[in-house]
Amino acid sequence: MKNKIFHPYTPFSNIEKGFLNIVRGEGIYLFDDQGNKYVDIVSSWWAVALGHGHPKIVKAIQEQAGILQHSITGSLTHPTVLELAERLAGLMPTPDRHSVFASDGCSAVEAALKVAIQYWYNVDRPDKTWIIGMDQGYHGDSMGALGAGFVDDFHKPFERAVSHPAKLPFPIPTEDDPDGFLPSQTVIEQHKDKLAAVIVEPLCLGSAGMRMYSAGYLKQLADCCAENDVLLIVDEVAMGFGRTGKRFAFNHANIDPDLVCMGKGLTAGYMPLSACVVKDSIYDTFTDKGEKDCTFYHGNTFAGHPIGCAAALAALDIYEAEGTVERGAEMAEKMKQWMLPMAKLECVEELRFLGMIGVVQLKPETKPCILKIKQALFEQGYLFRPLGTMFYLMPPLVITDDELRGAVSALQQTIEEFC
Ligand SMILES: Cc1ncc(COP(=O)(O)O)c(C=O)c1O
């Protein structure tokens, strides 16, 4: 059959080589149409936190599909979305929250950006329209998301189409400023009258190459935003639901963000569903009872999709019942210990760790070897997706000791062989 797919993030040269036709998933494994088995070492774009084919989520989806497949949330509701909104509010440090539901990470981000901008309109400060993100931050591929996050390697063609009035520099710790926050403080204070919100990927810039920064920075950012009347949007789409060793990455900083975006792990990757969880102090301004109509005229057809909500409720149950976050934190420590010997390899620039993310940053001169390493790992049954000269493990949180140890040693041996 001719391939008519306009593939995302796929160079034409890869299409010419041909690629796997994945027909089934089970646990941490994906199976192709030839019966070959591969370790999904990056959790299918960081989403499949509970592995493939978890019977409880599959059952929840099947059951919901037999009851109500779709109904909108514009001036209507249904039981699964009601329950999910309640559960998400309960996961926040302060539970007075309402959720905007959407279908994927970038549409949750898009909602967050618009809620932030309209909030300032609602409270009669309409000049506050800027949203700024961190340099090389990533929040999805919609134009709104590109206006806040922008990864040079991916988004160059759109450079002239989006405006970046300012950026938070990536934090570089110094002796006087151990979290590297002061340059960001300067930017926020300078633009506070224009700033509606700041949006960040908490603790780790994923798409920019798993670049990590401290919880101390995030705490100072939250305080600075509050002091300067700037909303803080924390984009937990990639880091949420246990990836970093806590339920949300922002929990490491003990902060209570104004808006929290989530996707991917919300349904453990089983259904396209996302949410932007909004503090009630913001939500309450979206009223049509005052002098002006402040209704939020924004919504996706599939906002709060019943089958997606059922999958999310099942995933949340499993995260709790199976202690996924706690188990992930324990596995993270083991992964780190197993990976640490790689630091001694001549070709390794540095290792980085955050929960169940383990990064091997190779030196720039290894660039010609990257595809060979990737291919050799593929031949051993591992689906690594290097970013530049960086290999990383971000496996389903349910991976076993033996499986994880096997992946780490395959990576080490293959790097040693080619570099
Ligand atoms: C931090 C972050 N935000 C948003 C997104 C966009 O999510 P989606 O691809 O589901 O639109 C991603 C995707 O990787 C992400 O990592």
Side-chain angles (χ1 to χ4, degrees):
M1 199 189 303
K2 205 158 184 273
N3 184 350
K4 296 279 191 183
I5 301 170
F6 200 149
H7 287 271
Y9 283 94
T10 306
F12 275 13
S13 50
N14 286 5
I15 300 175
E16 282 153 20
K17 284 185 217 145
F19 35 57
L20 298 182
N21 190 12
I22 299 295
V23 293
R24 190 169 73 83
E26 188 183 321
I28 66 160
Y29 300 103
L30 291 168
F31 296 82
D32 70 10
D33 56 1
Q34 307 298 306
N36 299 312
K37 169 173 154 178
Y38 301 91
V39 176
D40 188 5
I41 202 70
V42 299
S43 302
S44 290
W45 266 342
W46 319 341
V48 186
L50 294 169
H52 299 270
H54 196 298
K56 288 187 183 154
I57 313 183
V58 173
K59 184 163 175 261
I61 291 171
Q62 285 168 339
E63 283 180 2
Q64 184 60 44
I67 299 169
L68 176 69
Q69 304 76 41
H70 182 45
S71 171
I72 61 172
T73 46
S75 299
L76 286 178
T77 189
H78 57 80
T80 45
V81 73
L82 269 176
E83 188 183 341
L84 183 59
E86 180 74 35
R87 292 276 291 274
L88 294 183
L91 298 182
M92 295 291 122
T94 51
D96 297 329
R97 304 261 174 171
H98 281 70
S99 286
V100 181
F101 286 102
S103 43
D104 46 34
C106 93
S107 47
V109 165
E110 203 68 33
L113 306 181
K114 289 180 69 183
V115 168
I117 290 170
Q118 190 178 328
Y119 166 73
W120 293 109
Y121 165 88
N122 295 351
V123 298
D124 296 326
R125 296 185 67 184
D127 288 341
K128 283 168 76 69
T129 55
W130 289 12
I131 310 259
I132 62 171
M134 200 178 268
D135 186 31
Q136 305 305 310
Y138 178 78
H139 301 288
D141 288 326
S142 67
M143 290 302 280
L146 293 195
F150 197 90
V151 181
D152 293 342
D153 286 349
F154 302 154
H155 298 140
K156 192 119 193 86
F158 308 100
E159 200 168 19
R160 289 158 182 247
V162 288
S163 69
H164 290 112
K167 285 259 171 225
L168 300 182
F170 184 78
I172 310 283
T174 63
E175 213 174 303
D176 299 336
D177 178 19
D179 293 306
F181 180 67
L182 293 178
S184 295
Q185 181 177 341
T186 306
V187 174
I188 292 168
E189 288 177 352
Q190 187 185 351
H191 300 298
K192 63 182 179 181
D193 294 335
K194 288 268 177 214
L195 270 179
V198 162
I199 180 167
V200 283
E201 289 172 80
L203 305 190
C204 178
L205 271 59
S207 301
M210 302 295 163
R211 296 173 67 195
M212 296 164 190
Y213 65 90
S214 70
Y217 174 96
L218 196 54
K219 171 76 179 119
Q220 291 186 65
L221 177 65
D223 291 345
C224 182
C225 285
E227 279 158 22
N228 289 286
D229 274 352
V230 174
L231 299 179
L232 176 63
I233 306 170
V234 172
D235 177 355
E236 291 274 355
V237 168
M239 297 296 133
F241 301 102
R243 176 56 61 187
T244 67
K246 293 206 186 265
R247 182 185 284 131
F248 294 111
F250 74 74
N251 295 136
H252 290 273
N254 278 324
I255 60 168
D256 189 17
D258 299 304
L259 301 105
V260 178
C261 298
M262 46 187 87
K264 299 190 191 270
L266 174 60
T267 65
Y270 282 54
M271 290 293 295
L273 183 89
S274 62
C276 166
V277 188
V278 182
K279 269 188 182 162
D280 278 355
S281 51
I282 299 168
Y283 169 80
D284 290 340
T285 67
F286 284 75
T287 174
D288 63 341
K289 290 189 187 153
E291 278 176 16
K292 62 183 180 211
D293 178 7
C294 294
T295 302
F296 192 41
Y297 291 108
H298 170 103
N300 304 124
T301 303
F302 298 126
H305 190 272
I307 303 175
C309 290
L313 287 170
L316 295 183
D317 284 346
I318 297 163
Y319 290 135
E320 261 171 52
E322 296 185 1
T324 309
V325 177
E326 297 74 16
R327 188 181 172 280
E330 280 166 29
M331 290 299 282
E333 198 40 49
K334 292 182 195 172
M335 179 168 77
K336 185 173 175 179
Q337 293 312 319
W338 294 334
M339 287 180 73
L340 277 175
M342 278 191 257
K344 295 202 190 92
L345 300 181
E346 181 70 17
C347 59
V348 170
E349 189 165 273
E350 69 169 359
L351 303 178
R352 297 189 287 276
F353 302 99
L354 175 64
M356 278 295 271
I357 308 172
V359 175
V360 185
Q361 182 74 56
L362 298 176
K363 291 185 177 155
E365 55 268 29
T366 61
K367 205 169 169 201
C369 310
I370 298 301
L371 280 180
K372 289 180 208 149
I373 298 172
K374 183 182 172 192
Q375 178 62 22
L377 285 162
F378 170 72
E379 282 160 18
Q380 296 165 67
Y382 291 98
L383 295 179
F384 277 92
R385 293 182 69 90
L387 287 163
T389 54
M390 185 274 281
F391 281 84
Y392 67 98
L393 291 98
M394 206 159 154
L397 301 177
V398 294
I399 193 166
T400 64
D401 281 21
D402 285 350
E403 289 165 340
L404 186 53
R405 205 173 193 140
V408 172
S409 71
L411 180 60
Q412 174 163 355
Q413 280 167 21
T414 313
I415 289 174
E416 283 179 42
E417 187 181 335
F418 286 92
C419 291

